[in-house]
Amino acid sequence: MRIALFATCVGDLMFPQAPQATVHLLERLGHEVVFPESQGCCGQMHINTGYFPEAVPLIKNHVKTFEPVLDGEWDAIVVPSGSCTGSLRHQPEMVAKSEGMPGMAKRASQIAEKTYDLSELLVDVLGLTDVGAYFPHRVTYHPTCHSMRIARVGDRPYQLLKAVEGITLVDLP
């Protein structure tokens, strides 16, 4: 598959190892990952605080940047963040509609249909739970509110963790 990476602004600026690891993993699994350089913030922080007009330029940029997925240039868009995945699935369309841009809302919705949280892409699209990972440590998994309630990734991250060789996965009380 040819997969576009949406690194997220927080990932890009504060946790670059997350998008880098996403690229490394997908390439190791035999997929081509592209990084559209014009990507930026999805606008979630603006939208969550009621600044819809201020989010419009960010939404326009996201739609313009990731429209090639609609033409088949890419097979999917991957996001290594449940919060940003959830935002991209619902907020751009909502804001575009509320700001009187039905065409933009439609394109944002179509792009959202091809946008996946990393765990969804691996489990649902690629049909994998075992990605050949090894981590000989005791860990627990805390599902984030956005990944569960907005992106609705369900137990996909847990499925992936259970397949990691050497891991001791402890339930979170």
Side-chain angles (χ1 to χ4, degrees), residues 8-30:
T8 80
C9 60
V10 173
D12 185 40
L13 297 172
M14 297 180 68
F15 304 104
Q17 65 275 23
Q20 289 168 353
T22 300
V23 171
H24 177 75
L25 172 64
L26 293 172
E27 287 180 344
R28 184 173 55 77
L29 294 171

Side-chain angles (χ1 to χ4, degrees), residues 25 28-29 122-123 126-134 156 159-165:
L25 172 64
R28 184 173 55 77
L29 294 171
L122 292 169
V123 175
L126 302 178
L128 298 171
T129 52
D130 186 346
V131 297
Y134 174 73
R156 291 169 189 92
Q159 290 178 48
L160 291 161
L161 285 170
K162 286 192 310 187
V164 174
E165 185 180 336

Side-chain angles (χ1 to χ4, degrees), residues 30-118:
H31 302 283
E32 179 185 356
V33 181
V34 295
F35 181 83
E37 291 186 18
S38 61
Q39 66 181 278
C41 177
C42 66
Q44 178 181 180
M45 292 180 280
H46 301 75
I47 298 163
N48 288 350
T49 54
Y51 289 94
F52 285 18
E54 290 79 3
V56 168
L58 302 172
I59 292 168
K60 285 181 178 179
N61 182 66
H62 183 79
V63 168
K64 181 180 178 185
T65 300
F66 288 94
E67 269 185 321
V69 76
L70 302 179
D71 299 326
E73 189 172 323
W74 311 317
D75 300 299
I77 301 164
V78 67
V79 185
S81 162
S83 181
C84 295
T85 302
S87 171
L88 290 170
R89 289 215 181 117
H90 306 289
Q91 292 180 330
E93 178 185 13
M94 173 192 67
V95 170
K97 282 181 179 177
S98 76
E99 297 298 310
M101 300 180 303
M104 181 71 60
K106 181 179 179 182
R107 289 195 313 279
S109 174
Q110 291 169 330
I111 291 168
E113 290 174 13
K114 301 260 189 179
T115 301
Y116 300 93
D117 173 80
L118 177 59

